[in-house]
Amino acid sequence: MKVQLYLGGKIKKSPEKDIFCNYLDRFKKLGNTTKLFPIEIHEYDEKKMFSPKQLYKLRQLFSKRSTVTVLLDERGCNLSSVDFAEFLRENRDAGLSEIIFFVGGANGVPTALKVEFNNLISFGRMVWPHMIARIMLMEQLYRASSVIAGSPYHKE
């Protein structure tokens, strides 16, 4: 199952980028084992991304039957790491071809786009800076893939 991340803002050379890339590299190494590959990272400029033309393109992408769409939102479902791994496994095993995760930028996600997602997931009721949220997502993807692969990274 292809994994796509749409991430608000551009991450420049920084400690945040280093941490993100560390978990991305770890996740890629498990991709063949867990069948969660390839992974594609799309950073977007909020000013351009939410133009009517771009919103139309996103709606087309999200409307494919074989795609799961997930918005990270503080009003979403709060999952444990093991539940998140099971969510990925179930969608993969159902034969879905891709999963799209969307992290809003500094200005969030327009309401017009929020209704297009078939899943909302939360990292708790607190609002996190978008650069931290992208790191948290990447770490949880790596953790979930290690749970699926049966590796000892996740400790209960």
Side-chain angles (χ1 to χ4, degrees), residues 84-103:
F84 183 65
E86 189 58 28
F87 170 76
L88 290 174
R89 184 189 344 247
E90 286 174 0
N91 282 293
R92 180 202 64 192
D93 293 352
L96 297 170
S97 63
E98 69 184 330
I99 187 164
I100 297 171
F101 290 94
F102 202 94
V103 177

Side-chain angles (χ1 to χ4, degrees), residues 11-15 17-18:
I11 195 167
K12 297 180 173 131
K13 187 168 174 60
S14 65
K17 183 174 185 175
D18 293 343

Side-chain angles (χ1 to χ4, degrees), residues 25-40:
D25 291 343
R26 290 180 186 192
F27 178 77
K28 284 179 178 179
K29 289 176 184 170
L30 283 174
N32 286 332
T33 304
T34 60
K35 305 280 191 264
L36 296 172
F37 70 94
I39 184 167
E40 293 180 2

Side-chain angles (χ1 to χ4, degrees), residues 27-98:
F27 178 77
K28 284 179 178 179
K29 289 176 184 170
L30 283 174
N32 286 332
T33 304
T34 60
K35 305 280 191 264
L36 296 172
F37 70 94
I39 184 167
E40 293 180 2
I41 310 297
H42 309 274
E43 292 183 311
Y44 65 87
D45 178 347
E46 289 179 277
K47 294 174 187 148
K48 295 176 186 173
M49 184 65 153
F50 301 129
S51 69
K53 181 179 178 182
Q54 289 301 323
L55 286 173
Y56 176 79
K57 285 183 181 180
L58 281 174
R59 284 187 180 105
Q60 295 300 314
L61 178 66
F62 292 179
S63 68
K64 291 193 251 175
R65 289 184 187 271
S66 61
T67 300
V68 179
T69 57
V70 180
L71 174 64
L72 294 184
D73 187 280
E74 71 270 12
R75 290 171 292 279
C77 181
N78 197 0
L79 300 175
S80 71
S81 295
V82 172
D83 290 340
F84 183 65
E86 189 58 28
F87 170 76
L88 290 174
R89 184 189 344 247
E90 286 174 0
N91 282 293
R92 180 202 64 192
D93 293 352
L96 297 170
S97 63
E98 69 184 330

Side-chain angles (χ1 to χ4, degrees), residues 20 107 111 115 121:
F20 179 86
N107 297 317
T111 304
V115 299
I121 292 180

